Amino acid sequence: MSKLALVTGATSGIGKAFAERLAADGYDLIIVGRNKDCLEEFAAEHAGVKVRTVAADLSTDIGVDTVAEICANESLTMLVNNAGVAHYMPLADLPADKARELVHVKVVAPTMLTRAAVAGMQERGEGKIINVAGMIAFSGPADKSVMPRRAVYAGSLAHLVAMSQTLSAELEDTGVQVQALCPGVVATEFHTRQGLDMSVVPRMSAEDVVTAGLRGLELGEVVCAPGVEDAGLLDAVFQADLAAFGGQSPELASRYRAN
């Protein structure tokens, strides 16, 4: 049986790198993006595998529903939720349409596509879901000097991490793997589109991010951080999360009681 992967945001950056790698590994592909011409160009360049192109805008309900229907009806071996937008700016300055677009692309779309794909994967007893997030998901405690102008973006990536971790636990022993892939700064067109000059900032290649994600699946990592050498740092974060979760009580904490 042939392997079939669906990749969103497949026309550039990490999404295109995933599509390239999976095609080289013998996967048939369903590639999703806004630019029909770029999708068809990719398909023409990869005649050795079956490539289905789907031009869809995941910032819209109709775009999400179109791709979700494909996820529900095709026997996907892998789903890569990669599509993204940034819109870096203070929340008070973020136009409503851009806020809605960001949440739709990075929260609604991966949630609904995963929901559509996961039942079939469970029935078949195999499948892999990669949700491309980023290290900004862990930046919430940073002060303004370190992490300005991206509250909604950081929150959307944190959603992907928490959803992936919780879903992974739900799917234990089903044969379905879930991963939140959290690169740092990557050398793609992503920041250029936001008007940001990142030319002097050290950046990882999209190809290395893909290598880490696929190897992370082999290692059983639910959260894959390609640029973090000491994996114990992530373990410490997650253990602290569980300690706080387990430390709750029905009694009001003493610091909130009147003196």
Side-chain angles (χ1 to χ4, degrees), residues 165-187:
Q165 289 175 304
T166 308
L167 181 58
S168 177
E170 288 181 15
L171 297 173
E172 187 174 349
D173 299 325
T174 66
V176 182
Q177 288 182 272
V178 184
Q179 178 191 93
L181 177 55
C182 298
V185 183
V186 183

Side-chain angles (χ1 to χ4, degrees), residues 129-159:
I129 299 168
I130 297 178
N131 293 314
V132 179
M135 290 305 293
I136 290 175
F138 302 100
S139 68
D143 63 31
K144 182 179 178 180
S145 67
V146 178
M147 205 64 229
R149 302 187 297 114
R150 56 191 84 177
V152 180
Y153 184 67
S156 70
L157 300 191
H159 164 81

Side-chain angles (χ1 to χ4, degrees), residues 31-234:
I31 54 173
V32 180
R34 300 185 191 189
N35 191 317
K36 182 179 180 181
D37 290 340
C38 288
L39 293 171
E40 292 180 349
E41 181 181 349
F42 181 97
E45 293 172 349
H46 296 79
V49 296
K50 295 179 181 177
V51 181
R52 174 181 173 185
T53 64
V54 180
D57 183 352
L58 295 180
S59 70
T60 67
D61 285 335
I62 190 170
V64 172
D65 290 346
T66 295
V67 182
E69 184 175 2
I70 295 170
C71 290
N73 293 326
E74 296 287 346
S75 297
L76 297 182
T77 311
M78 182 179 294
L79 168 64
V80 181
N81 284 309
N82 166 76
V85 291
H87 301 325
Y88 293 170
M89 62 187 71
L91 181 57
D93 300 332
L94 183 63
D97 61 335
K98 291 186 180 293
R100 188 176 293 109
E101 179 184 22
L102 176 52
V103 172
H104 228 87
V105 172
K106 292 306 291 182
V107 176
V108 176
T111 300
M112 299 309 292
L113 301 194
T114 297
R115 174 192 172 278
V118 74
M121 289 182 173
Q122 282 184 277
E123 290 175 5
R124 293 186 294 275
E126 66 171 349
K128 295 175 173 57
I129 299 168
I130 297 178
N131 293 314
V132 179
M135 290 305 293
I136 290 175
F138 302 100
S139 68
D143 63 31
K144 182 179 178 180
S145 67
V146 178
M147 205 64 229
R149 302 187 297 114
R150 56 191 84 177
V152 180
Y153 184 67
S156 70
L157 300 191
H159 164 81
L160 288 174
V161 172
M163 182 180 77
S164 298
Q165 289 175 304
T166 308
L167 181 58
S168 177
E170 288 181 15
L171 297 173
E172 187 174 349
D173 299 325
T174 66
V176 182
Q177 288 182 272
V178 184
Q179 178 191 93
L181 177 55
C182 298
V185 183
V186 183
T188 69
E189 303 93 333
F190 186 73
H191 295 94
T192 304
R193 291 172 181 167
Q194 308 304 314
L196 301 174
D197 181 5
M198 306 293 286
S199 58
V200 299
V201 177
R203 294 172 291 171
M204 182 175 289
S205 72
E207 291 74 19
D208 279 351
V209 173
V210 172
T211 295
L214 297 178
R215 176 59 177 153
L217 288 173
E218 293 176 358
L219 296 172
E221 293 182 348
V222 178
V223 178
C224 172
V228 176
E229 180 63 31
D230 183 2
L233 294 172
L234 295 173

Side-chain angles (χ1 to χ4, degrees), residues 238-249:
F238 305 144
Q239 289 303 314
D241 285 345
L242 290 174
F245 180 71
Q248 61 186 316
S249 163

